[in-house]
Amino acid sequence: MKTTNIMIVGVGGQGSLLASKLLGQLLVAENYDVKVSEVHGMSQRGGSVVTYVRYGDKVYSPVICDGEADFIVSFETIEAARWVSCLKPDGKVIVNTQKIDPMPVITGAAQYPENALDEMTAGGVAVDALDALSLANEAGSSKAVNIVLMGRLAKYLDIPAERWLEEIEKAVKPKFVDINKKAFMLGYNYSC
Amino acid sequence: MKKLMIGNEAVACGLYEAGCSVVSSYPGTPSTEITEFAAKYDDIYCEWAPNEKVALEVAFGSAFNGKRSACAMKHVGLNVAADPLFTMSYTGINAGLVICVADDPGMHSSQNEQDSRHYAIAAKVPMLEPADSAEALEYTKKAFEISEKYDTVVLLRMVMRIAHTQSLVETSDRLDGTDKPYVKTPSKYIMMPGYAKKRHPIVEDRTVALTELAEKSELNREEWADSEIGIITSGTSYQYVKEIYGDSVNILKLGMVNPLPVQRIKSFAAKVKKLYIIEELDGVIETHCRNIGVEVTHGKDIFSPIGEYSQERIATALGMEAKSHPEISAEIPVRPPVMCAGCPHRGMFYALSKNKITVIGDIGCYTLGAQQPLNAVDSVLCMGASVSGVHGFNKAGGSEAEGKTVAVIGDSTFMHSGVTGLINIAYNSTNSTVIILDNSITGMTGHQQNPTTGYNIKGDPATKIDLEALCRAVGINRVRVVDPYDIKACETAVKEELAAEEPSVIISRRPCMLLKYVKAAPAMKVSNDKCRGCKSCMKIGCPAISFKNKKAIIDPTLCVGCGVCTQLCAFDAIEQ
């Protein structure tokens, strides 16, 4: 079986580590060889962060390079654009339409590229955009953005939703299980 | 059972299984989690030491007294611990002693990308380098065996990409009965010249014996294929090579990177037509190959000594075609790390920036004070260099420099190596001003306790070093405390202490906003009527404040109500 490459990108502090933990645990339970490369340290302080998840029969490299990602799951709009060169020509971008200004935009040194997603779509990139923050709030917590996006990703992977829900039960504290399951299904069943 | 673990957790697991009993470390990305995970085992005593030199000496003392011991540090931490390292190479150990050192190719969270393999060569001690979490666990255990069999400290070299990548490991039980009796042996453990002269030949003999080990050890392995290409590699680079070539080239994978085998490399080289040496950072293996007369087809001539590798970088260096991928023309602004909303460092840096103070900086979250728009830092060198540096800066610049220059250093970094610089300021007298940014935690590495916090690694109460009393005790009479959320108080303190005719310390004290016990205040709001769009509030570089439709807006999900921005608004437009 070929290796599947998933990038989870966003802004430090958005909860991408929990998303990759959940995905990693699920893939191990499904008997794949897995590598999950995380970012710790300085970049976590509001910087651009990327987690690489790779699985298949045998995984060597921990990283994903230009033209290699099957999926890019982005927690923020322009972070999807920042990493889009890593996508395979037939890969898919799943993006939360939330916008978080980086410091150069805050200080006025740069503009937020408002049309980045349109440009990606126009260039033939398959983009699945959703307002994951609203869906997370609907599920009961703004912090569940990560699980909404995992729900959306699950739609495209060959692992049944029930398996994801079982892993969510193991990965989160009991009192947050219902919110997270709901968040997962909202992402999974989302239609534009 | 197979478990997914980051490399650092696997090392901790290896420490446990090897029967390691004592771990002393100083936190440093990408090594920190080794000690954090080790601390979860009740069978291992773990501690955060004030710095890496102390940590290694603690581990040495413990191994000397018969318990398998370890310490973990980042690459630059090994510089701090180099002094005991070089001499414990002579003494050898009693029970096994392993130093886990984590390099940071690509400088994800570091001030340089030095290659720790040079230390193994210089100190004449063995070094193992795992290529994934399973090897991290296995090599950690192997390191203890080698340590005891060859009577030497062993270095375990991690790199960020192994340390922070989860991959599958299989765990097993803890080894019992590894304790050794303590026997007083002055000629082995007292390194005064008479004894040390007798130990040096033993070190040289040991290197010969370890080289023999490298010749036959399974830590090094050949993978044969029907190909004219042969690649010698190790660690992460091995994974990238496998990603590109799979099983289609000959590979000599080195798990023991010091000492390197001689015959084994010669024999591998003799069987291939083209020999590539692919190693991240410096050309250590390549230099060895050339020294032993092995002809290298490609090494550092095409594989850069700079930055982190990937399959793409190696493939490009080999002239392979790039993979097709989408491209967009929109310019994506960079997103550098920033001080968090409510960060207690922000107010003090704003006060320094506003008053155009020269700031000799240090290592920690507060290095981010160098970023736009605060732009408040003039230099950052290494742990502790702010305090010693400001003294030198002031010696060179005299009273003019003394009147407009400060050192800034965090509480943990001050404990690490700032206090010695402060002793120097008092003893060799400059009217230097040192600001200790006391956020009551070791921040950047992810919240580790330190001697000033009053808690140990387990979170249990511990002796709390009194910073004010410490500063006074080393001869600083002017010690004052300010709240960095009060910009005026910061400015007043800085101005007064810079003007003082003696050295002084300002303790800028407020706990890190991310600490669990720190409760956020309600978010601030900008009154649209009152806001004139002057952007004064944006001079502090708070990620919660942005500017839309000619007015400031505050993101209520980020704002923690610290109120620093309200002090900059001349129109009272920001309210809770």
Side-chain angles (χ1 to χ4, degrees):
Chain A
M1 179 207 162
K2 72 173 185 69
T3 302
T4 301
N5 297 327
I6 302 169
M7 290 171 69
I8 301 172
V9 304
V11 179
Q14 277 192 298
S16 62
L17 279 182
L18 179 69
S20 62
K21 187 182 162 198
L22 173 70
L23 180 54
Q25 297 298 346
L26 174 70
L27 294 167
V28 173
E30 296 290 307
N31 286 318
Y32 290 111
D33 187 27
V34 184
K35 281 193 175 160
V36 180
S37 192
E38 306 167 347
V39 175
H40 296 239
M42 189 183 249
S43 328
Q44 276 188 301
R45 301 279 173 263
S48 174
V49 293
V50 54
T51 303
Y52 304 108
V53 181
R54 308 191 67 217
Y55 68 97
D57 289 338
K58 176 70 192 165
V59 179
Y60 291 109
S61 171
V63 303
I64 298 168
C65 301
D66 277 1
E68 294 182 348
D70 297 279
F71 298 95
I72 294 176
V73 181
S74 181
F75 283 50
E76 198 273 350
T77 303
I78 59 165
E79 291 309 308
R82 185 187 312 285
W83 296 97
V84 75
S85 66
C86 292
L87 200 68
K88 280 181 185 167
D90 61 347
K92 186 178 274 293
V93 173
I94 296 164
V95 55
N96 174 18
T97 51
Q98 195 180 347
K99 291 174 181 173
I100 301 174
D101 285 350
M103 196 48 71
V105 172
I106 290 177
T107 60
Q111 293 279 316
Y112 192 99
E114 297 290 344
N115 57 351
L117 285 189
D118 294 340
E119 202 196 321
M120 277 159 59
T121 312
V125 176
V127 177
D128 186 353
L130 66 165
D131 182 353
L133 184 58
S134 296
L135 294 173
N137 282 325
E138 191 185 327
S141 168
S142 61
K143 286 182 179 164
V145 163
N146 48 9
I147 305 298
V148 171
L149 291 168
M150 286 299 103
R152 197 65 200 151
L153 173 68
K155 190 89 192 156
Y156 301 105
L157 301 181
D158 295 331
I159 302 168
E162 303 78 64
R163 287 289 305 114
W164 283 84
L165 294 172
E166 282 168 37
E167 289 302 324
I168 288 171
E169 266 182 38
K170 290 185 212 158
V172 306
K173 287 187 183 147
K175 63 173 174 175
F176 298 121
V177 165
D178 288 342
I179 289 174
N180 281 294
K181 280 181 164 179
K182 193 172 174 196
F184 179 87
M185 290 315 297
L186 283 170
Y188 190 84
N189 292 323
Y190 175 78
S191 56
C192 350
Chain B
M1 191 189 125
K2 286 200 169 180
K3 279 168 84 176
L4 207 50
M5 284 185 190
I6 56 169
N8 282 348
E9 184 180 0
V11 170
C13 195
L15 294 172
Y16 169 77
E17 291 180 12
C20 178
S21 297
V22 174
V23 175
S24 182
S25 302
Y26 183 80
T29 313
S31 72
T32 311
E33 302 82 8
I34 294 174
T35 309
E36 289 183 321
F37 278 108
K40 295 184 185 207
Y41 295 102
D42 290 338
D43 296 310
I44 308 179
Y45 165 79
C46 287
E47 65 177 27
W48 290 127
N51 67 37
E52 296 85 353
K53 178 180 186 292
V54 172
L56 179 53
E57 290 157 353
V58 168
F60 175 78
S62 162
F64 179 46
N65 196 18
K67 300 266 191 217
R68 284 193 168 185
S69 303
C71 52
M73 58 194 65
K74 65 186 291 171
H75 58 328
V76 287
L78 193 52
N79 300 335
V80 180
D83 196 2
L85 170 68
F86 277 69
T87 303
M88 69 179 68
S89 169
Y90 279 35
T91 63
I93 47 87
N94 178 17
L97 177 55
V98 174
I99 302 170
C100 314
V101 57
D103 287 6
D104 191 9
M107 293 177 272
H108 297 269
S109 209
S110 302
Q111 65 270 40
N112 75 28
E113 55 182 349
Q114 67 186 52
D115 187 328
S116 291
R117 292 177 296 170
H118 297 295
Y119 271 107
I121 297 168
K124 303 182 179 188
V125 297
M127 176 181 256
L128 310 187
E129 180 174 26
D132 59 22
S133 296
E135 285 189 355
L137 193 160
E138 181 199 334
Y139 286 16
T140 303
K141 290 158 76 173
K142 201 82 190 164
F144 278 102
E145 283 174 31
I146 294 172
S147 174
E148 288 177 0
K149 185 165 180 199
Y150 294 86
D151 191 13
T152 177
V153 59
V154 177
L155 290 162
L156 180 81
R157 184 198 188 210
M158 302 290 285
V159 295
M160 173 275 181
R161 198 57 74 180
I162 305 293
H164 290 160
T165 293
Q166 300 179 46
S167 63
L168 291 168
V169 299
E170 222 154 332
T171 59
S172 51
D173 293 337
R174 180 172 166 90
L175 192 65
D176 284 330
T178 57
D179 290 4
K180 302 269 188 292
Y182 172 71
V183 181
K184 184 167 175 167
T185 324
S187 61
K188 184 169 186 289
Y189 292 108
I190 301 174
M191 283 304 96
M192 53 190 184
Y195 289 145
K197 281 176 189 171
K198 294 195 173 98
R199 292 297 303 176
H200 189 182
I202 293 169
V203 172
E204 300 301 327
D205 290 346
R206 184 178 70 202
T207 298
V208 173
L210 284 162
T211 305
E212 280 167 25
L213 173 69
E215 300 288 4
K216 56 178 200 273
S217 172
E218 285 170 6
L219 289 164
N220 300 329
R221 74 166 184 261
E222 290 82 358
E223 297 178 12
W224 297 112
D226 184 16
S227 167
E228 61 178 16
I229 299 172
I231 296 173
I232 305 181
T233 185
S234 70
T236 40
S237 303
Y238 167 78
Q239 304 291 6
Y240 303 136
V241 166
K242 291 293 282 184
E243 188 69 33
I244 295 167
Y245 289 107
D247 299 330
S248 70
V249 292
N250 303 294
I251 296 173
L252 172 56
K253 180 195 178 283
L254 298 169
M256 185 168 173
V257 291
N258 191 62
L260 291 165
V262 176
Q263 291 311 323
R264 208 162 168 177
I265 286 176
K266 282 185 177 171
S267 128
F268 179 81
K271 286 176 190 151
V272 299
K273 281 206 181 117
K274 292 180 186 166
L275 183 67
Y276 303 154
I277 313 294
I278 305 183
E279 52 187 325
E280 216 167 42
L281 299 179
D282 298 340
V284 173
I285 302 170
E286 182 183 352
T287 303
H288 171 76
C289 288
R290 295 189 193 282
N291 285 346
I292 61 172
V294 165
E295 200 179 315
V296 175
T297 315
H298 284 304
K300 290 295 157 192
D301 57 327
I302 62 167
F303 305 111
S304 173
I306 300 163
E308 194 186 11
Y309 279 4
S310 66
Q311 57 270 33
E312 184 181 34
R313 280 192 75 190
I314 292 172
T316 305
L318 286 163
M320 295 175 181
E321 207 179 318
K323 292 180 177 160
S324 62
H325 59 81
E327 276 171 64
I328 59 164
S329 61
E331 247 180 72
I332 309 300
V334 294
R335 190 185 297 275
V338 292
M339 281 193 264
C340 308
C343 176
H345 302 326
R346 181 172 283 110
M348 180 54 87
F349 275 120
Y350 176 75
L352 294 170
S353 174
K354 183 183 165 199
N355 290 285
K356 300 189 167 52
I357 307 294
T358 301
V359 176
I360 315 296
D362 223 299
I363 307 283
C365 285
Y366 46 90
T367 305
L368 296 171
Q371 304 274 54
Q372 294 292 356
L374 289 164
N375 204 14
V377 180
D378 291 69
S379 79
V380 174
L381 186 63
C382 65
M383 295 286 286
S386 60
V387 186
S388 17
V390 75
H391 175 76
F393 195 88
N394 288 342
K395 280 291 179 197
S399 58
E400 203 191 323
E402 287 172 340
K404 59 175 190 195
T405 311
V406 300
V408 295
I409 184 166
D411 47 321
S412 186
T413 309
F414 183 72
M415 283 291 110
H416 179 283
S417 45
V419 66
T420 40
L422 191 63
I423 291 168
N424 191 45
I425 286 173
Y427 174 55
N428 287 313
S429 67
T430 44
N431 295 332
S432 295
T433 302
V434 173
I435 301 174
I436 301 176
L437 300 168
D438 178 8
N439 65 348
S440 309
I441 202 73
T442 312
M444 182 61 88
T445 45
H447 284 183
Q448 290 74 33
Q449 303 296 342
N450 70 57
T452 69
T453 67
Y455 296 93
N456 65 20
I457 193 169
K458 297 262 192 196
D460 296 327
T463 300
K464 181 179 162 82
I465 305 302
D466 181 334
L467 275 175
E468 291 92 313
L470 175 62
C471 294
R472 288 195 185 98
V474 303
I476 308 296
N477 298 315
R478 296 181 68 97
V479 180
R480 65 197 276 179
V481 179
V482 290
D483 177 359
Y485 276 2
D486 185 342
I487 294 174
K488 272 219 174 74
C490 290
E491 284 191 70
T492 307
V494 169
K495 282 180 187 164
E496 286 177 7
E497 297 315 319
L498 283 172
E501 294 289 322
E502 61 176 309
S504 45
V505 169
I506 301 168
I507 300 172
S508 171
R509 177 171 289 151
R510 189 170 263 277
C512 173
M513 194 53 228
L514 299 179
L515 283 165
K516 283 208 176 105
Y517 66 82
V518 178
K519 295 287 170 237
M524 297 289 171
K525 273 201 298 271
V526 179
S527 152
N528 244 338
D529 298 341
K530 291 186 188 167
C531 178
R532 310 269 184 97
C534 71
K535 295 191 176 178
S536 283
C537 57
M538 302 191 69
K539 290 181 188 160
I540 50 171
C542 176
I545 307 176
S546 55
F547 202 70
K548 293 277 150 71
N549 304 321
K550 299 185 177 168
K551 305 272 182 187
I553 51 166
I554 293 177
D555 181 341
T557 65
L558 287 176
C559 179
V560 295
C562 74
V564 169
C565 57
T566 62
Q567 299 165 50
L568 301 175
C569 184
F571 310 104
D572 295 325
I574 307 175
E575 47 212 25
Q576 212 122 27

